[in-house]
C-alpha cells in the first residue's frame, strides 16, 4: 500500500473523532464545561444499540441487581435500532443536564472538571457490570466496498460515507448557530445568563436543548464507530482524548476547525501505523502520541502565562485550612496504624497496607491540586514510571532498597519536569487535558513496551531488606502472609512525607502556591512567579507519586501495565477527590475508605461481596461531592454533623413556641422557605 492510501484509510477514524469533537464543542459553547464523559456517553449508547440489535433489549442505566432491561420481543433491524438508540441518547442528555450539568455552570473549575470524570467512571462501570469487558462486534452499518480512485488508489466506501455525514453535521451546526434565533440565543446565554434573562430568554431550556443535541452526536459517534472497530467500554471511554485534541485544535468554538482537525488526526495516526512497519525504530503505539502533539500545539498557540480578566472567577475551591498540632496528629495517626497492622491478620492487614500505599500516592494530589489548584489526571502515571524504574534499577542495575525507590521517584520527577513546562502556560481545564493526553501516550508507548514493563512476567520486586531486616510481605510460610513490617515502613514514610506536606502549607512556598491557586493575576502583581510555582508543584507531586509507585511495586510483588492504564489514573483522581484534596488527612481517608483493595472496601467485600460495585460507587460519590461538598470526606463529616445538630436543636425549640404552632416552622425560624432551602 502507498503512503497516500494509508492517509485515506484514516479518514473514517478521523470522521468519528470529528463527530465526537463537534459534540464537545456544542457542550462547551453552551455551558463552559468540558465533558470528559463524552466518550463514555458514546460507549453507553453504542451498547444500547448493540443490545437492541442482537437481543431486542433496551438497557436502562441502572446496576444489574435491579431490573434494568426492557425486552421488546425480538431483535430490531438497523434503522429501528439506530432511531431508538438516538432517542435514548436524547432522553439521557436531558436527564444528565437536569441532574448534573446544569449545576456546573456556577461550579468551581475543579468541580467542572471532576464531576464529568465521576460521570465517566459511573457510566463505564455500568457498562462493565452489564456487558463485561470483552470486545464485541456487529455487522457493518455502512457499505464496506472499495472505491478505486485515480492512479489505482483504493478508498473505502465507508470512509467516504462517514466523511460526508460529518461534513453535513458540521455545516448544519454552523448554519444553526449562525443564522437561527436559537443559535443567537445560545451565544447570548453563554456570554451572560443574567443578560439573557433580561431580554426574555430561558437559559435552562436553551442549555437543555444543546445538551440533548450533544448527547445525540455522542451516541451517533459511538454507533458509527462500530463500523471500524469492536465495541469495548475501555476503548470507547478513551475516545475522549482524540476528541479533546480536535476540539482544542478548533478553539472549542469552530465547527469547521474541529472537522478538519479530526480528519488530520485520523490520517496522521493511520500513516504512523504504516510507518511502524517501514521504520523499525518507531515504537509501538506511537500513533497514540498524535493527540498529545495536537493538544500541546493548541495550548502553545492559545495559552497565556496569565488569565485575562474574563477568565477570573471567584469560585468555591476545596478548603486548605492551616494545619495545627501537626506533630501530635501525625504521631497519633502513626500509632493507630502500627497498632492496627500488628493486631490485624490476613486480608484485613493487607487491605490496610494497600490503604497506606494509596494514601502516599494521594499526597501528590494534595500538593498539586489542593495547594496549587492544578488538576492532574496522570499522578498514577507518575507512580507507574517510578515503579517500573525502581524494578529496573533493582533487577538490572543491582541497586538495593530503598535507593532504587528513590531513583524511581527521580525518574518520575524527570517526566514531571517535562509536564511542568507546558503547565506554566496552562491552567485548570487546559492542564487537565494535557495530563490526560500524556497519561494516554505514556500508557501506549512506554507501559506497553515489554522492555520497560517487564513483558509477560511484569516488573519483578523481591522482598525489601533494610539494615539486614527482611521487610517483605511474603515468607516461605504461606500462612504468615502478609507480614506487617512493610506496612510499618510505609506508615513511617507516610508520617514523614505527610508531615512535610502539612508543613509546606505554612511555609512561604506553600503561601505562594495558595496565592496562585486563589488568583494568578494578583499573585503575579505581588511578584510571585506563577509559572515557576506551578511547575514546582508538578515536579514535587511527581516525585511523591513516583516514590509511591515503588512502594506499590513492593506491595504487589510484581507490576504490570494494567495497573497504570489511563482510566486507572483518572480513577486515582476520583479516589483522592472523594477523600479530600485540601488536607493531608484527606489522602489517608481516600486510601482507607475508597481505594480498591483498601481496608474498608476489603471489609465490605468480605461481608457483602461489594468489590464489583466499588468503581460505580466511587463514580457516584465523586459526582455528588463535586456538586455538594468539594472538601471531600476529610472536610465533610464533623462540620456537617455539627451544623445538622444546631439546626435540629433550633427547629425543636422553634416548634415548641406558640408562634410556631400558628405560623409553621418557617415563620418560627424567622426565615423565608427559600432561605431555609439555600
Amino acid at each position: 500500500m502507498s503512503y497516500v492510501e494509508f492517509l485515506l484509510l484514516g479518514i473514517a477514524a478521523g470522521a468519528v473523532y470529528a463527530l465526537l469533537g463537534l459534540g464537545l464543542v456544542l457542550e462547551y459553547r453552551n455551558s463552559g464545561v468540558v465533558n470528559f464523559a463524552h466518550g463514555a456517553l458514546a460507549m453507553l449508547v453504542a451498547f444500547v444499540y448493540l443490545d437492541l440489535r442482537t437481543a431486542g433489549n433496551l438497557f436502562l442505566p441502572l446496576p444489574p441487581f435491579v431490573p434494568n432491561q426492557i425486552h421488546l420481543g425480538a431483535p430490531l433491524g438497523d434503522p429501528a435500532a439506530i432511531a431508538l438508540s438516538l432517542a435514548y441518547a436524547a432522553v439521557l442528555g436531558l436527564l444528565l443536564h437536569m441532574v448534573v450539568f446544569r449545576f456546573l455552570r456556577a461550579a468551581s473549575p475543579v468541580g467542572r472538571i471532576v464531576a464529568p470524570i465521576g460521570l465517566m467512571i459511573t457510566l463505564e462501570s455500568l457498562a462493565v457490570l452489564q456487558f463485561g469487558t470483552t470486545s464485541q462486534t456487529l455487522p457493518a452499518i455502512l457499505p464496506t466496498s472499495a472505491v478505486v480512485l485515480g492512479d489505482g488508489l483504493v478508498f473505502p466506501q465507508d470512509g467516504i460515507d462517514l466523511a460526508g455525514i460529518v461534513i453535513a453535521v458540521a455545516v448544519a451546526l454552523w448554519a444553526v448557530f449562525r443564522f437561527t434565533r436559537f443559535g443567537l440565543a445560545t451565544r447570548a446565554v453563554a456570554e451572560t445568563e443574567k443578560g439573557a434573562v433580561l431580554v426574555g430568554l430561558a437559559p435552562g431550556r436553551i442549555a437543555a436543548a444543546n445538551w440533548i443535541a450533544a448527547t445525540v452526536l455522542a451516541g451517533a459517534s459511538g454507533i458509527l464507530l462500530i463500523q471500524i472497530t469492536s465495541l469495548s467500554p475501555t476503548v470507547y471511554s478513551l475516545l475522549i482524548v482524540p476528541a479533546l485534541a480536535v476540539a482544542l485544535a478548533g478553539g472549542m468554538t469552530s465547527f469547521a476547525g474541529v472537522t478538519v482537525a479530526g480528519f488530520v488526526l485520523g490520517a496522521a495516526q493511520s500513516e504512523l501505523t504504516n510507518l511502524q512497519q517501514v521504520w523499525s525504530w518507531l515504537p509501538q503505539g506511537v500513533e497514540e502520541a498524535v493527540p498529545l502533539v495536537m493538544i500541546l500545539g493548541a495550548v502553545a498557540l492559545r495559552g497565556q502565562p496569565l488569565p485575562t480578566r474574563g477568565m477570573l472567577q471567584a469560585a468555591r475551591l476545596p478548603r486548605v485550612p492551616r494545619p495545627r498540632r501537626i506533630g501530635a496528629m501525625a504521631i497519633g495517626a502513626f500509632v493507630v496504624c502500627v497498632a492496627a497492622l500488628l493486631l490485624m491478620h490476613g486480608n484485613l492487614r493487607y487491605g490496610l497496607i494497600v490503604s497506606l500505599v494509596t494514601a502516599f500516592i494521594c499526597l501528590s494530589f494534595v500538593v498539586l491540586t489542593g495547594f496549587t489548584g492544578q488538576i492532574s489526571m496522570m499522578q498514577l502515571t507518575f507512580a507507574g514510571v517510578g515503579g517500573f524504574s525502581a524494578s529496573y534499577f533493582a533487577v538490572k542495575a543491582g541497586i538495593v532498597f530503598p535507593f532504587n525507590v528513590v531513583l524511581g521517584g527521580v525518574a518520575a520527577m524527570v517526566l514531571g519536569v517535562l509536564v511542568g513546562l507546558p503547565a506554566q502556560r496552562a491552567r485548570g481545564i487546559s492542564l487537565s487535558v494535557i495530563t490526560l493526553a500524556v497519561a494516554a501516550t505514556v500508557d501506549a508507548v512506554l507501559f506497553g513496551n515489554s522492555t520497560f514493563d517487564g513483558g509477560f512476567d511484569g516488573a519483578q520486586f523481591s522482598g525489601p531488606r533494610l539494615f539486614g531486616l527482611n521487610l517483605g510481605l511474603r515468607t516461605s510460610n504461606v500462612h504468615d502472609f502478609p507480614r506487617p513490617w512493610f506496612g510499618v515502613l510505609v506508615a513511617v514514610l507516610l508520617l514523614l512525607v505527610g508531615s512535610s506536606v502539612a508543613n509546606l502549607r505554612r511555609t512561604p512556598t506553600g503561601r505562594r502556591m495558595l496565592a496562585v491557586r486563589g488568583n494568578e493575576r494578583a499573585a503575579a502583581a505581588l511578584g510571585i512567579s506563577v509559572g515557576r510555582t506551578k511547575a514546582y508543584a508538578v515536579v514535587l507531586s511527581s516525585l511523591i507519586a513516583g516514590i509511591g509507585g515503588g512502594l506499590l511495586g513492593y506491595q504487589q510483588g510484581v507490576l504490570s501495565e494494567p495497573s497504570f492504564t489511563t482510566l486507572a489514573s483518572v480513577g486515582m483522581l476520583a479516589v483522592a477527590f472523594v477523600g479530600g484534596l485540601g488536607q493531608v488527612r484527606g489522602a489517608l481517608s481516600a486510601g482507607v475508605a475508597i481505594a480498591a483493595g483498601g481496608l474498608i472496601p476489603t471489609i465490605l467485600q468480605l461481608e457483602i461481596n461489594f468489590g464489583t460495585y466499588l468503581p460505580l460507587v466511587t463514580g457516584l460519590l465523586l459526582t455528588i461531592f463535586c456538586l455538594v461538598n468539594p472538601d471531600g470526606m476529610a472536610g465533610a463529616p464533623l462540620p456537617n454533623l455539627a451544623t445538622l445538630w444546631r439546626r435540629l436543636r433550633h427547629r425543636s425549640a422553634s416548634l415548641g413556641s406558640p408562634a410556631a404552632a400558628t405560623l409553621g416552622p418557617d415563620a418560627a425560624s424567622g426565615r423565608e422557605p427559600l432561605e431555609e432551602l439555600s
Side-chain angles (χ1 to χ4, degrees):
M1 272 187 150
S2 68
Y3 296 117
V4 176
E5 285 178 315
F6 268 95
L7 287 174
L8 296 177
L9 284 175
I11 295 298
V16 176
Y17 296 157
L19 196 58
L20 281 168
L22 290 173
L24 277 175
V25 169
L26 194 59
E27 293 162 344
Y28 184 79
R29 289 179 63 161
N30 170 67
S31 63
V33 174
V34 174
N35 183 12
F36 288 94
H38 199 69
L41 287 171
M43 173 268 301
L44 187 67
V45 176
F47 270 114
V48 170
Y49 166 78
L50 172 75
D51 217 14
L52 291 170
R53 188 71 179 82
T54 58
N57 294 325
L58 180 63
F59 169 66
L60 304 178
L62 298 170
F65 56 77
V66 297
N68 62 356
Q69 285 184 319
I70 300 175
H71 186 59
L72 303 181
L76 303 184
D78 272 337
I82 292 173
L84 186 54
S85 299
L86 295 182
Y88 180 100
V91 175
L92 182 63
L94 177 61
L95 290 176
L96 291 177
H97 165 72
M98 295 174 62
V99 175
V100 179
F101 290 110
R102 72 189 180 101
F103 299 106
L104 294 183
R105 185 170 179 84
S108 69
V110 176
R112 289 189 183 190
I113 295 171
V114 179
I117 292 173
L119 179 61
M120 178 184 74
I121 296 172
T122 302
L123 295 177
E124 184 193 357
S125 302
L126 287 172
V128 169
L129 289 171
Q130 183 68 27
F131 301 103
T133 57
T134 305
S135 298
Q136 304 186 46
T137 58
L138 274 176
I141 301 172
L142 301 174
T144 57
S145 57
V147 176
V148 180
L149 304 178
D151 297 327
L153 293 176
V154 178
F155 191 38
Q157 179 66 48
D158 57 357
I160 297 176
D161 295 337
L162 286 171
I165 291 172
V166 172
I167 292 173
V169 170
V171 171
L173 289 173
W174 172 79
V176 166
F177 278 83
R178 179 67 177 83
F179 300 110
T180 68
R181 176 178 172 80
F182 174 77
L184 180 62
T186 298
R187 296 202 304 272
V189 171
E191 286 293 329
T192 167
E193 283 193 10
K194 292 181 180 179
V197 171
L198 291 176
V199 297
L201 299 177
R205 294 180 182 179
I206 295 171
N210 279 283
W211 279 102
I212 289 172
T215 309
V216 169
L217 287 178
S221 305
I223 294 171
L224 291 175
L225 193 61
I226 297 176
Q227 182 79 18
I228 57 178
T229 187
S230 57
L231 178 56
S232 165
T234 301
V235 173
Y236 269 52
S237 296
L238 285 177
L239 287 174
I240 187 62
V241 178
L244 284 169
V246 300
L248 281 174
M252 300 300 290
T253 55
S254 170
F255 297 123
V258 170
T259 304
V260 173
F263 290 137
V264 170
L265 176 57
Q269 287 187 322
S270 178
E271 192 61 59
L272 279 175
T273 303
N274 174 43
L275 292 176
Q276 288 177 18
Q277 312 302 321
V278 179
W279 299 334
S280 58
W281 52 268
L282 278 178
Q284 294 297 315
V286 69
E287 69 276 3
E288 301 299 329
V290 180
L292 174 61
V293 174
M294 187 173 285
I295 289 171
L296 291 176
V299 172
L301 291 175
R302 296 187 175 92
Q304 297 175 342
L306 289 176
T308 60
R309 292 191 177 211
M311 296 169 65
L312 293 175
Q313 179 182 11
R316 173 77 164 88
L317 295 170
R319 291 175 60 249
V320 187
R322 185 178 178 86
R324 302 179 184 278
R325 301 187 300 276
I326 295 176
M329 296 292 292
I331 294 297
F334 173 74
V335 171
V336 171
C337 287
V338 172
L341 286 167
L342 297 177
L343 293 175
M344 291 178 178
H345 299 279
N347 290 330
L348 294 182
R349 178 184 287 169
Y350 188 74
L352 180 55
I353 294 173
V354 171
S355 294
L356 295 176
V357 173
T358 304
F360 192 97
I361 297 174
C362 287
L363 285 175
S364 65
F365 286 102
V366 177
V367 173
L368 183 60
T369 307
F371 292 176
T372 320
Q374 303 301 303
I375 302 169
S376 169
M377 299 190 195
M378 62 172 297
Q379 297 307 104
L380 195 61
T381 302
F382 287 131
V385 171
F388 287 125
S389 299
S391 174
Y392 176 86
F393 290 132
V395 175
K396 301 295 185 181
I399 301 175
V400 298
F401 180 88
F403 302 106
N404 63 322
V405 174
V406 174
L407 289 175
V410 173
M413 188 171 64
V414 172
L415 178 60
V417 172
L418 298 178
V419 175
L421 294 176
Q424 298 185 48
R425 297 180 62 85
R427 61 188 53 83
I429 292 174
S430 296
L431 183 62
S432 63
V433 171
I434 290 173
T435 54
L436 178 63
V438 173
T441 302
V442 173
D443 183 18
V445 178
L446 199 59
F447 294 164
N449 190 325
S450 59
T451 60
F452 185 78
D453 68 359
F456 182 78
D457 295 328
Q460 301 293 321
F461 288 82
S462 58
R465 302 185 70 88
L466 188 63
F467 304 120
L469 300 176
N470 181 9
L471 302 178
L473 296 175
R474 297 162 179 81
T475 64
S476 57
N477 183 2
V478 295
H479 300 290
D480 195 27
F481 175 83
R483 300 170 71 239
W485 310 119
F486 178 73
V488 174
L489 172 65
V490 177
V492 171
L493 294 176
L494 192 59
L495 168 69
L496 297 175
V497 178
S499 300
S500 300
V501 171
N503 275 306
L504 177 64
R505 161 68 176 82
R506 303 194 296 188
T507 64
T509 299
R511 290 194 289 271
R512 284 194 292 269
M513 290 179 173
L514 292 174
V516 169
R517 172 185 184 263
N519 190 316
E520 291 186 17
R521 289 178 61 88
L526 293 173
I528 297 173
S529 175
V530 174
R532 189 175 302 171
T533 300
K534 292 194 293 185
Y536 173 79
V538 173
V539 172
L540 179 59
S541 69
S542 64
L543 175 63
I544 295 173
I547 294 175
L551 298 177
L552 182 64
Y554 281 106
Q555 171 231 306
Q556 295 184 357
V558 60
L559 290 180
S560 57
E561 185 269 341
S563 298
F564 304 102
T565 62
T566 308
L567 292 179
S569 193
V570 173
M572 183 61 75
L573 172 61
V575 169
F577 188 94
V578 173
L581 294 174
Q583 305 175 60
V584 171
R585 68 176 181 176
L588 190 58
S589 300
V592 172
I594 304 296
L599 181 59
I600 292 180
T602 297
I603 294 173
L604 294 176
Q605 175 67 16
L606 294 174
E607 296 294 331
I608 58 174
N609 193 25
F610 176 77
T612 54
Y613 297 102
L614 181 61
L616 175 61
V617 172
T618 302
L620 290 173
L621 286 177
L622 179 60
T623 306
I624 292 171
F625 270 103
C626 284
L627 299 177
V628 176
N629 188 0
D631 295 329
M633 291 187 299
L638 294 178
N640 283 356
L641 288 177
T643 302
L644 179 61
W645 175 247
R646 287 195 299 270
R647 288 182 178 178
L648 289 175
R649 289 184 61 187
H650 180 73
R651 179 63 58 86
S652 63
S654 301
L655 288 175
S657 65
T662 305
L663 301 175
D666 290 317
S669 66
R671 299 179 181 179
E672 295 294 330
L674 288 180
E675 286 184 84
E676 187 71 26
L677 289 175
S678 63

